[in-house]
Amino acid sequence: MEIKKLLVANRGEIALRIMRTAKEMGIATVAVYSDVDAHSPFVRFADEAVRLGPAPSSQSYLLMDLIIEIAKNTGAEAIHPGYGFLSENAEFAEKVEQNGLIFIGPTAAAIRTMGDKLSAKEAVSHFDVPLVPGSAGAVKNLEEAQEAIGRTGFPVLIKAAAGGGGKGMRIVERAEDFEEQMQLAVSEAQSAFGNGSVFVEKYVGSPRHIEIQILADSHGNVVHLFERECSVQRRHQKVIEEAPSAILSDELRAEMGSAAVAVARSCGYRGAGTVEFIFDEQHNFFFLEMNTRLQVEHPVTEFVTGVDLVREMIYIAEGKPLSFSQEDLKIQGHSIELRVYAESPRNNFLPDIGTLKEYRRPDGPGVRVDDGFEEGMEVPIYYDPMISKLVVHAQTRSAAIERMIRAIDEYRIAGVETTLDFGRFVFNHPSFKSGNFDTHFVKNYFSPEVLDSIGTQDEEEVAALIAVSIAESSRNQNKSSSTVSNEVKYSRSEWKRNRGALS
Ligand code: ADP
């Protein structure tokens, strides 16, 4: 079935990005918006726009029935959920279809299977996909946990089955701490996710986070579109991504790609999805989870493969078979993304909202900026504080890094603090440049003092500063509690509730 009109159940940069492809395909667009977004570029871009309600997402972007009603009233045949909000909500996917509309994404059943870390592991276990060593399912008591630890040794990670967005994980280093930590993990999981189910996993010491993009049509064809390296994270949340990864051999890439395709098959997947793996120092990879939606960092894959992922999602939703095979896909050059957040890297990456007094985007060869803001606009407190995604493409990794630094220098943002300076620090860092880094990059190398030194110190001074910050971070690590995620507690609970689980 041909889609002629599409409702985008999202806001900001991703709503705009989806509508742009729809427009190219001759599909009319319907935007839905909350009061604070009434004058946003995505609302103006749409052919039609309908108000949802006040700013909090519980009164706007999460209102399933209202969104479905608007789709029907405007004559839209399909709904694209973007990422965050309702994108991984199985009930919503179900309701959309029950109302005779097309949900641009997987089936509700696939979302459910992959939405719970344990049912995901269960589904995948029947296929040839390596899993992190650990308990076979939920651990209900200490004996079951001890049994799993017998196989993994310490340190271990206790994870909440329903956890997400880097939350609900505890690392335990020593046997004598285990019982107490497990009790804490269960009660935390119960209060945060309404599901006290936890499991135990081997803690991988110096992991890299590498994920594979897949596309599956409804005729049984599944392909992978190679990897994205997402190891530079703060608070277990990605901030810089690139494709390809600096360390994957063609052989490993093909192995991980096949594993990702198997994961997709394990849940009868349809649409665009991402299979996340953890990658250890010995270059073993293990399945972490599958995100059943379009990913924030999808543009780096679009740059290196030349495939418009949103266009493919729409074709798949229309029931068309994929128009290319695995052999047709090739990696062209190198692409890097920096998420430009309204956050203060000088203050624990805390959100820094306010008015964009000055806002000028970089331009020129190989630069793509996906944003949803204009000069003079407010960065609202209610949603994820991402201002834009700065994405570059060049022939080689080093040329892409140089291009990224040039683009950062060109970007002008005043009125709020951003992660631009932080990005400049990372892209100038010898460890990032060499490709030799893991998910502890920020903890190991970053401190506000280092930030102040970029460009003003000679290399020796910078190296000395880095050494001090490493010593400091390992001291702090020893002092701090045994939670993996050094979570920043926002003072505004509203903020926390409205941030989608974006990854
Ligand atoms: P979430 O659903 O919260 O994103 P994930 O399971 O995807 O949880 O893990 C998030 C991050 O936590 C990973 O990117 C990685 O940095 C870290 N992590 C997860 N599992 C392990 C593990 N077994 N060992 C070490 N680090 C891990």
Side-chain angles (χ1 to χ4, degrees):
M1 180 208 171
E2 195 107 329
I3 296 170
K4 294 191 197 65
K5 200 188 251 193
L6 170 68
L7 182 147
V8 180
N10 215 299
R11 61 180 296 281
E13 69 90 14
I14 195 62
L16 194 53
R17 189 263 165 271
I18 293 164
M19 288 179 198
R20 283 190 163 127
T21 288
K23 190 147 235 171
E24 289 173 16
M25 296 172 78
I27 298 174
T29 52
V30 181
V32 287
Y33 62 91
S34 76
D35 290 340
V36 281
D37 286 337
H39 304 291
S40 287
F42 79 92
V43 174
R44 286 205 312 270
F45 188 91
D47 297 309
E48 284 165 72
V50 183
R51 175 184 179 266
L52 286 170
S57 46
S58 58
Q59 296 169 54
S60 53
Y61 298 104
L62 295 176
L63 294 176
M64 303 190 216
D65 294 333
L66 179 58
I67 291 170
I68 290 170
E69 194 187 306
I70 293 170
K72 288 163 108 175
N73 290 343
T74 53
E77 302 100 349
I79 298 184
H80 195 307
Y83 56 69
F85 299 121
L86 296 170
S87 62
E88 289 178 290
N89 187 314
E91 192 191 337
F92 181 62
E94 221 154 51
K95 280 191 173 193
V96 170
E97 301 206 331
Q98 279 161 4
N99 278 276
L101 302 169
I102 300 172
F103 179 74
I104 303 195
T107 60
I111 298 176
R112 265 194 198 108
T113 303
M114 290 298 154
D116 179 278
K117 290 183 197 295
L118 281 173
S119 64
K121 280 193 178 212
E122 214 293 304
V124 163
S125 68
H126 306 290
F127 288 74
D128 187 19
V129 179
L131 297 172
V132 188
S135 57
V139 290
K140 289 173 211 76
N141 52 48
L142 213 54
E143 289 75 57
E144 285 183 15
Q146 306 288 6
E147 197 193 42
I149 294 166
R151 290 194 300 273
T152 63
F154 281 96
V156 293
L157 207 51
I158 308 176
K159 279 192 183 180
K167 297 182 186 73
M169 290 187 281
R170 280 183 169 259
I171 175 172
V172 188
E173 308 268 358
R174 302 175 311 174
E176 53 266 45
D177 297 336
F178 189 81
E179 187 171 359
E180 187 193 345
Q181 290 300 325
M182 181 158 151
Q183 274 164 8
L184 285 170
V186 171
S187 64
E188 244 171 39
Q190 186 61 48
S191 64
F193 312 110
N195 174 356
S197 174
V198 299
F199 61 101
V200 173
E201 233 176 54
K202 179 184 167 63
Y203 178 68
V204 180
S206 293
R208 296 173 78 116
H209 175 119
I210 299 181
E211 60 186 31
I212 307 278
Q213 174 72 50
I214 66 105
L215 278 176
D217 65 20
S218 47
H219 305 274
N221 303 304
V222 188
V223 296
H224 70 85
L225 292 92
F226 315 106
E227 79 279 11
R228 289 184 290 260
E229 159 85 58
C230 312
S231 296
V232 180
Q233 305 179 346
R234 43 101 182 80
R235 299 195 304 263
H236 287 283
Q237 297 273 299
K238 300 159 190 168
V239 57
I240 288 166
E241 302 98 341
E242 63 180 314
S245 161
I247 57 149
L248 277 200
S249 62
D250 286 345
E251 206 180 357
L252 259 175
R253 173 170 299 122
E255 260 181 63
M256 291 180 80
S258 305
V261 167
V263 170
R265 292 201 187 281
S266 80
C267 63
Y269 200 78
R270 173 191 76 197
T274 293
V275 181
E276 298 189 336
F277 294 99
I278 194 161
F279 193 87
D280 75 9
E281 278 178 305
Q282 288 74 44
H283 290 201
N284 300 306
F285 63 89
F286 307 101
F287 170 69
L288 262 189
E289 65 170 350
M290 179 170 192
N291 293 322
T292 54
R293 55 172 158 79
L294 185 65
Q295 203 94 333
V296 175
E297 59 272 23
H298 74 276
V300 295
T301 300
E302 296 189 321
F303 256 145
V304 298
T305 61
V307 173
D308 178 336
L309 288 168
V310 172
R311 180 181 282 261
E312 296 307 321
M313 289 176 90
I314 293 173
Y315 286 151
I316 291 168
E318 289 178 332
K320 296 196 173 92
L322 287 175
S323 63
F324 45 82
S325 65
Q326 191 64 58
E327 292 68 48
D328 297 327
L329 294 164
K330 299 271 173 309
I331 297 179
Q332 232 304 309
H334 199 97
S335 177
I336 308 179
E337 170 178 288
L338 168 66
R339 299 189 190 188
V340 183
Y341 282 102
E343 285 181 357
S344 170
R346 287 179 171 75
N347 185 18
N348 252 332
F349 293 92
L350 268 174
D352 185 45
I353 49 220
T355 305
L356 296 171
K357 295 207 186 83
E358 187 187 12
Y359 185 76
R360 271 186 292 154
R361 305 142 47 115
D363 211 333
V367 175
R368 164 175 170 181
V369 182
D370 281 18
D371 65 4
F373 287 98
E374 282 162 356
E375 195 165 275
M377 277 176 67
E378 291 267 328
V379 181
I381 171 196
Y382 300 95
Y383 318 108
D384 186 74
M386 193 171 77
I387 299 171
S388 75
K389 305 183 308 207
L390 171 55
V391 197
V392 298
H393 185 224
Q395 279 314 304
T396 61
R397 185 169 190 266
S398 57
I401 293 175
E402 284 162 9
R403 181 159 280 169
M404 179 59 100
I405 295 170
R406 184 270 291 173
I408 290 174
D409 288 345
E410 235 179 274
Y411 217 143
R412 289 273 164 274
I413 304 181
V416 294
E417 282 214 58
T418 74
T419 45
L420 280 174
D421 275 356
F422 167 78
R424 191 184 283 110
F425 161 75
V426 175
F427 298 120
N428 277 293
H429 196 280
S431 174
F432 184 84
K433 281 185 169 170
S434 71
N436 180 21
F437 57 91
D438 60 30
T439 57
H440 303 307
F441 182 94
V442 171
K443 190 179 74 194
N444 287 348
Y445 303 120
F446 180 72
S447 70
E449 295 75 49
V450 177
L451 201 58
D452 291 331
S453 71
I454 315 167
T456 58
Q457 248 105 357
D458 64 26
E459 280 193 10
E460 243 170 72
E461 273 179 90
V462 174
L465 276 166
I466 291 171
V468 170
S469 89
I470 294 172
E472 218 138 71
S473 78
S474 58
R475 259 202 311 280
N476 289 341
Q477 219 182 315
N478 293 340
K479 262 190 295 182
S480 73
S481 79
S482 50
T483 342
V484 187
S485 92
N486 190 12
E487 275 298 322
V488 174
K489 300 268 184 277
Y490 300 131
S491 51
R492 287 166 284 229
S493 57
E494 182 61 48
W495 185 283
K496 219 167 150 186
R497 231 178 306 132
N498 285 303
R499 279 178 66 118
L502 306 182
S503 43

